[in-house]
Amino acid sequence: MRILVAVDQNPYSAHTVGEVAKLAANTWANVSLLGVQSKRVPKNEGSDAKTRSWKTDGPLPNVLSAYRDNFLSYFKEEDCPYTEREFGYKMIELRKGLWEELYVCKSAKKNFRALIRIGNPVKEILAEAKEEETDLIVLGCDTSQGCSWENNMAVPQKVANDAACSVLVAKKEKKVERIVCCLDHDRVSQQSLEMINQLVTLHSAKLTIVGFAESEGIKTRVEKKLDNVLRYYHERDIEPWIEIAELSSLDTFIAQEAQWGLMALWMGKMSILEKALPKSKVKKLIKGSESSVLILR
Amino acid sequence: MSDEEKTSILILDDEAIVLKRLRPALEKAGYEVETFVRSSDASSRITERQFDIVITDLKMEGLDGMQFLTQVKERFPKTEVIVITGFATMDTVKESFQKGVLDFLAKPFKLGEILETVKKAETKIKQADDS
Amino acid sequence: MIKALVSLNMDLASSIALRYSCRLAEIIGMKLHTMHVEEVDKEGYSPGTGWVRSTWEKGLLQTSQEEILQLINTEKSSCPSLDAPIIRIGEREEELLHEIDDGSYDLFIEGVLHSFNAVNFYKKIQSKLYRYASCPIIIVKNLVDLNSIALLLGDDTDVRPLITSILKIFTKSELTVDLIHYTFQKFKGSVFREKVDDSKTPGRENGDKVLGKAEMMLSEMGCYPKDSWVIQDSPKKIADFLGGYGLVAAYIPSHSGMKNRLIELLSQVPSATLLCRR
């Protein structure tokens, strides 16, 4: 699994890094920590310059170093898959039939990188995820501050809307007791089920699968999909609850179920939820939801 | 293993969809691949021949992946084992490495990631053969 | 031996209900009978009268039997005592009521998917089948671990009918029983949830009295509840708490106008619900 953690300098990012460290300790995922240096100067910095100059010892690189140390501190040295252990000479095959003894650092079992990109945060996060074939983008936000990042940018909302992979918007200090997964009637990808499974395991959380009914006519299709998902879990000795909700009461449903800590929405290209939840609503959900939100793709 | 021989891989996963995805990708990359949905079948297959690399899921009905990889490592210590799992925990990671697996991949993963790991296993086998 | 009738259709709710019933049968030593009613007189469904109709009905019976048998066969390995289903043609509730009466069943079980919208649950409670069934009814909403039963007690009048029904069905089982006295939070009023042995919150005296009576009735029959709880909260919050039980049992008299908030609570309980109506 490849995880991209997008961070800024706010406390929720420190919390997000901690959450990812816990997931990484379970999964030994390849992790990239990405900070984006926006070219725009934040209004509260009060500088006359219109663009911000880049310094390697600036606040973002410093905070990124602190996040890296914090991330690695979650692992005992002997159990850490990310630390390089020894330097020395090693025979490397340069091409078929040609070997050379090179002085190398024997690589760690898994990759952990701390990166900074310069530009528009949303574009840079999406570009990094695409280049690295990321499976999951994780980023944090604070609901009490409208889930905005620097310069009042709705970075989590936009990334969740536009990413090609799954996105987890982590809210601070909310214990995940139950993962409420709103089912997509058209397609439930294997990858999305696997992502849920890892999060269920991580949080030792219970699972609810929700099927949305548009009208009486669609009920059989919803049931069939629910049955398939249920069988998938029963074969793995997991017994999720299932629940039916009317699409017309989607907003109320989501507001009520947000108490459980993590709400997952399948948002495929032809997804019923994509139709029922236009981008503006997804943004609203991420902005206002007490619980963390996982957009599955 | 001579250079001419293809590296052989056994894949065990109770999800047919995973095998359907992995098999053609690994065959295309030049490997000889056998796939198994049932751990009992994979278990009896390793009594018939040795594989260079074994890729196994952990959570399965009957004989679980941990038992299977133990059997593999006991029988063929040189076989490199890669664990893939949808329900990863710190304990399963630890136990896997204690049993001598080469790498641990949590699902979901992209094909590139597993190919990279298989190449790592292949290099290790070659180096062991050469030395 | 307890005799239960399980209503089956070719849908997910029935499949869940059947699996739950099989687990319950294993725990309490219960004989399961299954039944499907093909409703032919629904609007736009019936093809005429006389020979045409009777031939058509025979064909329909056979198809239904095959479909329901298929459903049963998938559970047969875990529940070998399942017999061939009873298949009838007619009005579903009427046919089920007849069978419950004629067969002297101790329990009726059916699956109803857990729904965010409580309307369907209200309709069920008000239905003829639920009002006139001569035995308790289990509504299976989810396949849950049958580890423990919660007995919901609102006031003194609930104790005897609920405990009597429960003792009849579960005497021989080793399921854990918890007693729960519930009251609903009044507008912005206090909420609490505590075990009876814990410190007393003002206002829970009535709960203690009701629970004491229930405990006594149970212990007279050699059944000792594990925990007793007093809870005051909204229906939704109480329902969330009850989600941890494998079965939630309550007494709802047939004329249940006075228990609307209890029905609201039960509609939101995601696990299986046992209703005693007499």
Side-chain angles (χ1 to χ4, degrees):
Chain A
M1 182 166 19
R2 288 183 179 140
I3 303 175
L4 174 66
V5 199
V7 291
D8 64 4
Q9 295 168 54
N10 283 299
Y12 53 75
S13 284
H15 167 74
T16 306
V17 170
E19 291 300 297
V20 174
K22 289 179 210 159
L23 179 60
N26 268 21
T27 59
W28 280 34
N30 289 304
V31 178
S32 297
L33 201 57
L34 174 69
V36 182
Q37 171 93 35
S38 175
K39 284 181 181 168
R40 282 170 59 199
V41 177
K43 284 168 198 152
N44 56 6
E45 275 186 20
S47 163
D48 290 338
K50 284 190 178 166
T51 56
R52 185 155 55 183
S53 62
W54 159 248
K55 288 183 210 146
T56 51
D57 61 347
L60 186 60
N62 286 340
V63 87
L64 205 64
S65 293
Y67 290 158
R68 183 202 55 221
D69 292 345
N70 184 32
F71 178 90
L72 294 173
S73 72
Y74 277 82
F75 299 84
K76 284 185 199 155
E77 203 180 334
E78 65 274 21
D79 295 336
C80 183
Y82 303 107
T83 38
E84 278 107 21
R85 296 218 167 85
E86 51 183 283
F87 289 86
Y89 285 99
K90 191 180 171 189
M91 271 294 177
I92 305 278
E93 188 177 29
L94 297 180
R95 59 181 159 82
K96 203 171 179 186
L98 176 64
W99 293 73
E100 184 178 345
E101 192 181 37
L102 294 172
Y103 189 70
V104 294
C105 168
K106 284 192 180 171
S107 70
K109 284 199 164 69
K110 297 289 173 181
N111 294 330
F112 176 71
R113 308 189 308 151
L115 314 158
I116 289 179
R117 292 177 75 126
I118 298 168
N120 173 294
V122 175
K123 283 185 185 163
E124 297 305 325
I125 293 167
L126 294 176
E128 180 64 26
K130 195 177 173 192
E131 282 166 29
E132 286 304 307
E133 295 192 314
T134 297
D135 297 295
L136 178 69
I137 301 174
V138 187
L139 62 184
C141 74
D142 189 342
T143 311
S144 67
Q145 290 169 16
C147 221
S148 296
W149 277 27
E150 196 181 68
N151 280 330
N152 214 19
M153 276 185 79
V155 176
Q157 295 91 316
K158 287 181 180 163
V159 169
N161 267 330
D162 297 339
C165 63
S166 295
V167 178
L168 173 64
V169 180
K171 300 288 172 79
K172 225 179 148 188
E173 309 301 343
K174 182 85 188 168
K175 185 176 165 17
V176 178
E177 291 176 53
R178 176 169 288 279
I179 300 180
V180 180
C181 300
C182 301
L183 190 70
D184 181 341
H185 304 163
D186 290 311
R187 189 168 171 265
V188 176
S189 68
Q190 176 73 15
Q191 286 92 327
S192 63
L193 289 172
E194 289 165 356
M195 192 61 77
I196 291 167
N197 297 343
Q198 299 294 5
L199 291 171
V200 165
T201 312
L202 173 70
H203 296 288
S204 302
K206 304 256 172 55
L207 186 61
T208 299
I209 308 287
V210 183
F212 284 100
E214 274 179 306
S215 60
E216 280 303 302
I218 204 164
K219 216 174 147 214
T220 322
R221 251 178 73 212
V222 179
E223 279 194 23
K224 204 167 176 189
K225 192 63 101 178
L226 281 171
D227 194 18
N228 288 341
V229 176
L230 205 58
R231 280 178 197 282
Y232 170 87
Y233 280 110
H234 286 166
E235 280 167 18
R236 284 152 189 83
D237 294 327
I238 295 171
E239 290 188 341
W241 286 348
I242 53 167
E243 186 167 359
I244 301 281
E246 306 289 324
L247 264 183
S248 53
S249 52
L250 186 63
D251 286 352
T252 333
F253 174 81
I254 285 175
Q256 188 168 299
E257 298 299 309
Q259 60 164 321
W260 295 112
L262 179 56
M263 174 148 296
L265 304 167
W266 268 280
M267 300 287 283
K269 273 188 184 154
M270 296 297 289
S271 141
I272 186 168
L273 288 173
E274 185 106 324
K275 284 182 243 160
L277 279 176
K279 288 190 173 183
S280 59
K281 270 198 178 176
V282 176
K283 282 183 186 171
K284 210 171 117 189
L285 165 68
I286 292 171
K287 189 176 166 182
S289 170
E290 259 183 66
S291 69
S292 299
V293 178
L294 173 65
I295 304 292
L296 292 162
R297 294 200 169 92
Chain B
M1 184 179 67
S2 76
D3 281 351
E4 289 72 34
E5 275 176 12
K6 279 185 176 180
T7 301
S8 57
I9 303 177
L10 178 151
I11 314 175
L12 169 61
D13 196 310
D14 63 354
E15 291 182 63
I17 193 165
V18 174
L19 301 175
K20 210 174 151 190
R21 198 171 142 238
L22 287 184
R23 186 178 189 138
L26 289 166
E27 281 178 344
K28 198 176 164 196
Y31 299 103
E32 179 206 336
V33 182
E34 285 189 35
T35 58
F36 296 87
V37 182
R38 287 203 306 230
S39 47
S40 54
D41 294 343
S43 183
S44 66
R45 183 63 177 137
I46 60 156
T47 61
E48 294 162 5
R49 64 161 291 193
Q50 178 177 4
F51 289 86
D52 300 312
I53 298 169
V54 164
I55 301 173
T56 178
D57 188 11
L58 284 184
K59 194 168 183 164
M60 285 172 295
E61 266 183 62
L63 183 78
D64 74 16
M66 203 61 86
Q67 288 168 294
F68 177 66
L69 77 87
T70 309
Q71 278 183 2
V72 171
K73 283 307 246 185
E74 276 171 6
R75 207 175 172 87
F76 306 109
K78 282 184 180 172
T79 296
E80 293 299 345
V81 179
I82 298 162
V83 164
I84 51 175
T85 179
F87 301 87
T89 65
M90 274 197 266
D91 289 341
T92 50
V93 174
K94 223 173 198 174
E95 198 181 343
S96 301
F97 282 101
Q98 276 166 359
K99 291 191 187 298
V101 308
L102 176 80
D103 208 346
F104 185 94
L105 286 184
K107 296 175 184 176
F109 50 74
K110 298 273 187 323
L111 285 171
E113 204 174 352
I114 192 115
L115 279 169
E116 216 173 86
T117 312
V118 166
K119 273 187 191 144
K120 205 161 80 180
E122 198 181 20
T123 308
K124 200 174 167 203
I125 294 164
K126 273 186 186 170
Q127 283 173 350
D129 282 354
D130 292 340
S131 63
Chain C
M1 189 182 243
I2 300 292
K3 194 177 166 193
L5 182 67
V6 187
S7 166
L8 295 181
N9 287 315
M10 277 307 293
D11 57 23
L12 178 58
S14 295
S15 156
I16 290 172
L18 185 59
R19 275 183 265 174
Y20 181 92
S21 305
C22 290
R23 288 183 187 182
L24 185 62
E26 204 182 314
I27 293 170
I28 65 172
M30 174 171 76
K31 173 68 186 160
L32 292 179
H33 300 263
T34 55
M35 176 164 168
H36 168 73
V37 182
E38 197 64 43
E39 291 192 280
V40 292
D41 287 325
K42 273 186 196 164
E43 210 178 327
Y45 198 34
S46 176
T49 54
W51 177 85
V52 175
R53 185 180 170 109
S54 94
T55 312
W56 175 73
E57 281 188 359
K58 268 184 204 162
L60 208 68
L61 271 175
Q62 200 180 340
T63 313
S64 301
Q65 186 145 26
E66 281 164 12
E67 284 179 351
I68 298 296
L69 263 176
Q70 201 184 336
L71 183 70
I72 289 173
N73 284 339
T74 56
E75 300 307 320
K76 200 85 179 173
S77 59
S78 56
C79 199
S81 65
L82 280 174
D83 292 335
I86 304 161
I87 306 282
R88 299 265 167 76
I89 286 184
E91 202 273 316
R92 181 177 176 271
E93 294 202 346
E94 289 283 351
E95 294 296 332
L96 286 168
L97 276 172
H98 278 145
E99 180 60 28
I100 291 170
D101 282 344
D102 294 350
S104 305
Y105 291 93
D106 303 297
L107 194 56
F108 172 70
I109 305 173
E110 75 168 333
V112 176
L113 291 181
H114 180 42
S115 176
F116 181 66
N117 185 341
V119 173
N120 286 342
F121 192 82
Y122 276 93
K123 278 188 194 161
K124 280 269 170 210
I125 301 290
Q126 304 299 342
S127 70
K128 195 172 165 185
L129 174 63
Y130 278 50
R131 275 186 292 137
Y132 296 113
S134 53
C135 61
I137 297 170
I138 293 183
I139 302 175
V140 183
K141 297 182 188 173
N142 269 302
L143 196 55
V144 285
D145 249 359
L146 249 166
N147 47 4
S148 53
I149 309 174
L151 305 189
L152 273 184
L153 300 159
D155 56 46
D156 206 41
T157 57
D158 293 345
V159 177
R160 184 159 294 280
L162 184 60
I163 303 284
T164 313
S165 300
I166 290 297
L167 284 172
K168 194 176 167 197
I169 301 166
F170 293 97
T171 316
K172 285 176 188 163
S173 83
E174 287 181 4
L175 285 170
T176 305
V177 175
D178 279 2
L179 295 175
I180 291 162
H181 179 267
Y182 66 91
T183 42
F184 296 112
Q185 179 194 20
K186 296 195 174 69
F187 182 68
K188 288 188 177 172
S190 63
V191 296
F192 52 82
R193 182 171 82 208
E194 54 195 35
K195 281 189 191 170
V196 167
D197 335 345
D198 299 345
S199 63
K200 282 190 181 181
T201 301
R204 52 165 260 201
E205 298 77 13
N206 184 43
D208 288 358
K209 212 175 93 190
V210 173
L211 292 172
K213 189 177 167 187
E215 269 176 47
M216 204 164 75
M217 244 188 109
L218 282 169
S219 59
E220 277 168 10
M221 299 301 290
C223 173
Y224 300 93
K226 183 170 169 276
D227 288 315
S228 295
W229 293 84
V230 278
I231 301 179
Q232 179 164 295
D233 216 323
S234 65
K236 169 70 179 147
K237 291 278 182 202
I238 301 176
D240 288 343
F241 170 73
L242 295 171
Y245 290 92
L247 183 66
V248 175
Y251 170 60
I252 302 184
S254 295
H255 303 289
S256 55
M258 297 298 285
K259 296 221 173 189
N260 268 341
R261 293 199 85 190
L262 173 62
I263 299 172
E264 185 187 341
L265 186 168
L266 293 174
S267 76
Q268 297 185 66
V269 171
S271 40
T273 309
L274 185 144
L275 306 176
C276 307
R277 310 222 60 179
R278 281 154 200 265

